[in-house]
Amino acid sequence: VAPPRREATFEAAPNIALIKYWGMRDVARGLPYNSSFSVTLDRLRTRTTVRWDPTLPSDRFVLNRAPVAGPAADAVSRFLDLVRAMAKVTDPAQVVSTNNFPEASGLASSASGFAALAGAATASAGLRLSGRDLSRLARLGSGSASRSIFGGFVEWRAGRRPDGRDCYAVPALRASHWPELVDLVLLVGGAPKKEVRSALAMQTTVTTSPAYRARLAAVPKRLARLRSALRRRDPRAFFPLVIEECDEFRHVCETTDPPLDYLTSTSRETLAAIRAFNDARAEPRAAYTHDAGAHVHVFTLRRHERALREKLEAVRGIERILRLRPGPGARRLARAGQA
Ligand code: PMV
């Protein structure tokens, strides 16, 4: 009898944070200071196949059909070490990953990447993890990956315990909760490659930004307001909140020493265009947010989309607009995409 194929394929999508994760109380365990909240997106995805293979000399990582070496491959191997310890296996693994969106675009691929890897590596090793356990594991690859395990609107609970048992993401609202809501992702030309990994950059903010403490004090109330705005599908509450949080995130980055500046002039013009779009009417019609990168996510309602796109046409340097909606969480594929 042939031995079982120790192989599994998972798909996972990036997420965009509405309440940001920025700063860890425990770096080794990947434990954040504050809870965060995001939307898992549709259409974009990482697909990853993991195969454990005793004949390999060491782990092998292939991304978009090209073998990877260096820090990215080391991060994958360290993550596999965690799975080896859990599953009590010692074999090397081959990891084959493809993104259906360009990494060069700077769209967060670490969240979808580690969420898909957590699923594929554990399933192929014969482990059956709950969503909560998968989220805890994915967190150790990249904090935001903890949220991409689930679809729709997701909250990552910071927890209080030093061992991190109570630190994991939970689904908050379904992807279909607010059918009117769309996310226009504006891909900004000339976006610089990240110089410092987010995990390092955020710790510099913790130790140097004079605004960081006030931010931590403000997040819990903002999170409660966000949950309520979303539950009620209330654009008047939702859009200003998303902007408020993004502005505060940018402020703690800019007051970091040395300052962290992720935006280009096009990104900044986009933020100004959205503010003007909202100021033109009595009620807010859109919100912008961005992560540690130059691309801008603009949330709006379907009924404002045409007017918004017209407004954005005046902004130079937007290369492409992706129209995304909330999407599904990480899931196993039945023997698809095998290398
Ligand atoms: O998951 P990381 O380590 O790449 O950090 C993500 C940080 C932000 O994207 C800026 C915020 C967030 O909550 O996703």
Side-chain angles (χ1 to χ4, degrees):
V1 192
R5 288 171 71 99
R6 295 157 64 215
E7 178 177 301
T9 299
F10 259 72
E11 247 180 40
N15 65 75
I16 175 69
L18 304 175
I19 301 282
K20 311 292 180 185
Y21 147 57
W22 198 252
M24 286 175 265
R25 62 185 158 97
D26 182 330
V27 174
R29 292 186 175 84
L31 305 179
Y33 274 110
N34 65 270
S35 298
S36 55
F37 194 103
S38 60
V39 188
T40 302
L41 301 167
D42 68 352
R43 293 185 50 202
L44 309 183
R45 55 115 187 110
T46 300
R47 181 178 293 171
T48 297
T49 300
V50 172
R51 183 165 51 85
W52 301 93
D53 182 349
T55 67
L56 285 175
S58 57
D59 295 329
R60 190 191 292 168
F61 178 36
V62 178
L63 179 61
N64 295 334
R65 294 179 186 77
V68 179
D74 296 343
V76 167
S77 266
R78 278 197 305 275
F79 192 82
L80 292 172
D81 287 341
L82 300 170
V83 178
R84 275 187 277 262
M86 290 167 76
K88 300 190 173 57
V89 297
T90 53
D91 293 341
Q94 166 160 286
V95 176
V96 178
S97 251
T98 53
N99 291 328
N100 72 347
F101 55 96
E103 287 92 67
S105 77
L107 289 165
S109 56
S110 67
S112 54
F114 281 106
L117 182 60
T122 52
S124 57
L127 297 169
R128 294 182 121 258
L129 266 61
S130 65
R132 197 167 279 194
D133 284 335
L134 268 182
S135 174
R136 281 196 198 91
L137 175 63
R139 185 192 84 218
L140 298 169
S142 167
S144 54
S146 67
R147 298 184 309 238
S148 274
I149 296 299
F150 300 105
F153 299 85
V154 181
E155 182 168 336
W156 173 16
R157 295 183 180 154
R160 290 170 183 271
R161 291 176 55 125
D163 65 6
R165 289 283 310 155
D166 55 355
C167 179
Y168 47 79
V170 292
L173 292 162
R174 295 167 194 266
S176 59
H177 175 72
W178 195 352
E180 270 264 284
L181 191 68
V182 292
D183 174 15
L184 301 180
V185 187
L186 315 187
L187 300 182
V188 166
K193 272 239 163 233
K194 254 193 229 183
E195 278 173 36
V196 185
R197 283 181 48 228
S198 292
L200 287 176
M202 62 177 71
Q203 293 313 94
T204 314
T205 299
V206 171
T207 51
T208 68
S209 168
Y212 189 68
R213 269 176 170 277
R215 158 162 178 73
L216 284 189
V219 165
K221 265 211 186 104
R222 193 175 296 143
L223 189 55
R225 283 158 61 211
L226 179 71
R227 281 191 214 106
S228 152
L230 275 170
R231 227 178 287 127
R232 292 179 284 116
R233 301 183 193 90
D234 177 359
R236 282 170 182 271
F238 178 73
F239 292 138
L241 253 172
V242 171
I243 290 178
E244 173 187 312
E245 164 66 6
C246 178
D247 288 350
E248 188 175 86
F249 165 62
R250 195 170 55 261
H251 181 63
V252 297
C253 288
E254 287 171 349
T255 52
T256 296
D257 183 16
L260 299 165
D261 179 7
Y262 295 109
L263 302 185
T264 67
S265 55
T266 299
S267 326
R268 287 179 195 282
E269 271 180 48
T270 303
L271 309 192
I274 300 304
R275 285 186 206 111
F277 185 67
N278 282 340
D279 288 347
R281 293 287 168 84
E283 60 159 19
R285 291 179 288 170
Y288 56 74
T289 192
H290 57 79
D291 281 340
H295 304 305
V296 181
H297 290 247
V298 179
F299 285 92
T300 192
L301 303 180
R302 285 186 210 271
R303 62 177 180 271
H304 304 313
E305 213 180 318
R306 185 179 304 174
L308 177 68
R309 282 179 186 262
E310 268 166 31
K311 181 88 192 163
L312 291 171
E313 268 165 27
V315 181
R316 276 179 307 148
I318 297 173
E319 289 196 335
R320 234 178 108 191
I321 300 184
L322 304 175
R323 185 183 193 276
L324 305 180
R325 298 252 320 123
R331 61 217 170 274
R332 187 171 184 172
L333 302 185
R335 301 179 63 68
Q338 254 115 55

